[in-house]
Amino acid sequence: MFLRIATAVSAASLLCAAAGATIAQTPAAPAPTASAPPAPASSAAAPAPSPSASVAASPGLTASGDMVATLKASSHFTILAKALDAANLSATLKSTPNLTLFSPTDEAFKALPAAQLAALMDVKNAQVLQKILTYHLVHLDLDTSKIKGAKGPVDSVEGGKLQIDGSGTPLKVNDANIIQSDVHATNGYLQVIDKVLIPANVTVPTADSGGAAPAR
C-alpha cells in the first residue's frame, strides 16, 4: 500500500511560509452578570460525566532523538512514519530545528474511511499527501506553555491556519484533542493528536474512482 513518492520536497519551500508563526489571541467572552437559579435537588440525580471520558488514552510516546526517530521507535505511529517517508518529508523532520508536529496516532489514521487512507498512500496522490502532512507541521517550538490559555490561529507549513484552543482540557488543535503533549525531540516538539487534520482547501481522493471525497 505504501508507495515511494518520487517528487522531492524542498525543506526551504516547505518551511518559509510558516517561519516565526505565533498564535493570535482571541479575547475571552465576558462573564455573565447573573447566574441562573439552581436546579431543584434530586436524590436520584446521576453524577456529571467526566469531560475527558471520550478522549483517547495517551500512547506513551518517549523522545528518542529527532522527530522521525522518535516516531519510528513507537508502535503507535507506523502509518505517520510511512507517510512521512513516502512524501519525502523525513529528511526535513530529522534536520530542521524549531518545529512542532501535531502527530496523529495509527488509530487516528484508521478512523479515516479505508478507501481514503488507501488513496492517500497512492503515488498518484503525492501532492495531496504532502499538503495534509505539512498542515500538521508548524515552524515554531509550540509547547504547552504557549498553548495553555491561548486561543486563535497559527500558520502551518502547508500555508493554512491551524486553530489552537488552550482554554480548556484537553488542549485542542482544530477539532482534534492533544492526547499527549510536549514530547521533546532534538529538533522540536511532538504533540500527539487523536484525529488527522485536513486543510479546508483539500479534498481527499478515494481509491475506487480517483475522485475526491469531502474533506473531514
Side-chain angles (χ1 to χ4, degrees), residues 74-153:
S74 171
S75 62
H76 294 277
F77 299 89
T78 60
I79 298 175
L80 176 57
K82 289 175 181 177
L84 291 171
D85 283 345
N88 293 320
L89 292 174
S90 291
T92 297
L93 294 183
K94 280 178 171 289
S95 59
T96 306
N98 304 320
L99 299 176
T100 297
L101 179 65
F102 293 98
S103 309
T105 60
D106 286 347
E107 290 74 16
F109 275 101
K110 290 174 183 177
L112 294 173
Q116 287 188 356
L117 182 56
L120 280 177
M121 307 312 299
D122 192 314
V123 65
K124 69 185 178 184
N125 296 314
Q127 291 183 341
V128 176
L129 179 62
Q130 291 166 356
K131 285 180 70 68
I132 289 173
L133 293 175
T134 54
Y135 185 59
H136 291 73
L137 189 61
V138 175
H139 196 191
L140 179 73
D141 277 332
L142 197 59
D143 62 6
T144 52
S145 71
K146 299 181 180 71
I147 296 175
K148 286 182 177 178
K151 189 173 183 181

Side-chain angles (χ1 to χ4, degrees), residues 2 6-7 20 45 60 62 71 92-93 96 123 129 156 166 186 191 198 209 212:
F2 299 105
T7 305
T62 302
L71 291 170
T92 297
L93 294 183
T96 306
V123 65
L129 179 62
S156 72
T186 54
Q191 306 288 2
I198 306 295
S209 63

Side-chain angles (χ1 to χ4, degrees), residues 11 16 40 43 64 71-73 93 95 119 163 166 199 210 214:
C16 62
S43 58
S64 180
L71 291 170
K72 289 186 174 182
L93 294 183
S95 59
Q163 295 296 323

